[in-house]
Amino acid sequence: MAYTSELKQLIKRVEETRPQRLVRRKDGLEFSRMSLAEKENRLRTFHPSYKEGSLQELKVGPSKGYSVPPEICEILESWSRIDPGRIDLSKIAFETDILIIGGGGAGTAAALLAQGNGAKVTIATKLRHGDANTMMAEGGIQIADQPGKDSPYYHYLDTIGEDISQMFQSWSTPL
């Protein structure tokens, strides 16, 4: 699949700005790692789930009292679409040591590891095995995993192509 013209423009921008970003890193202008308190402050300032009134308290179930987004609350507190009278729990249809929900990259890796260690594994997935969002990444799964050589800051710049220091400076008020 060919890149869209918009994506080609973003890639060009990342390539054009890479030398400037490397100079910034060499000059020590990279964002330093945030402390837990700084992360908490950043979340409370900008993350939508930390906004007053953006979460709803669950009234039923094992997670009763937890605050979750209203969409999740609606799903968890809704009536089941399955008629409980049609389910016979006295008859075991499947037996497994480990049930993995999701047949994407992470679920499959977990299943292989567990099976390799002697566990009887069952994977439950929405469609066929491999029809997962991991496939949508088209092999483009990336992570900043080399301390001293890489960082979330440069990973963001390389993948998104935006100078986040300018972005944060442009935000005058929290979300």
Side-chain angles (χ1 to χ4, degrees):
M1 182 171 140
Y3 291 136
T4 64
S5 60
E6 294 86 4
L7 186 54
K8 286 179 183 177
Q9 289 173 352
L10 290 172
I11 291 170
K12 184 178 177 184
R13 184 173 177 193
V14 168
E15 290 170 350
E16 289 172 351
T17 60
R18 185 171 286 119
Q20 297 160 330
R21 289 182 277 119
L22 291 174
V23 168
R24 287 176 57 89
R25 179 177 184 169
K26 196 176 201 178
D27 293 343
L29 298 174
E30 180 180 13
F31 283 116
S32 58
R33 188 175 296 260
M34 287 193 276
S35 68
L36 288 175
E38 290 170 321
K39 289 178 187 178
E40 182 71 21
N41 184 43
R42 179 67 49 91
L43 286 170
R44 291 200 180 284
T45 305
F46 296 106
H47 196 282
S49 292
Y50 281 76
K51 263 178 100 171
E52 187 68 36
S54 66
L55 301 177
Q56 188 173 333
E57 188 176 311
L58 288 170
K59 295 179 180 78
V60 296
S63 299
K64 181 179 178 179
Y66 284 18
S67 294
V68 298
E71 300 83 0
I72 302 295
C73 190
E74 185 177 316
I75 292 169
L76 293 174
E77 293 183 348
S78 66
W79 291 100
S80 175
R81 295 178 2 180
I82 299 170
D83 178 7
R86 295 182 60 197
I87 299 172
D88 182 4
L89 295 177
S90 65
K91 191 162 103 178
I92 298 172
F94 298 97
E95 193 170 322
T96 189
D97 296 323
I98 298 176
L99 171 63
I100 295 176
I101 310 297
T108 300
L112 289 170
L113 182 64
Q115 186 180 36
N117 284 286
K120 184 177 176 186
V121 180
T122 301
I123 297 177
T125 186
K126 60 187 166 203
L127 297 171
R128 296 174 304 269
H129 185 239
D131 284 343
N133 290 325
T134 304
M135 295 302 292
M136 298 301 287
E138 297 179 9
I141 298 171
Q142 302 173 5
I143 187 168
D145 66 346
Q146 298 294 316
K149 296 181 181 179
D150 200 1
S151 72
Y153 173 75
Y154 282 104
H155 172 74
Y156 182 90
L157 293 177
D158 282 343
T159 57
I160 305 299
E162 193 62 44
D163 185 339
I164 59 175
S165 65
Q166 291 175 358
M167 183 178 67
F168 284 133
Q169 290 169 2
S170 69
W171 292 352
S172 58
T173 57
L175 298 176

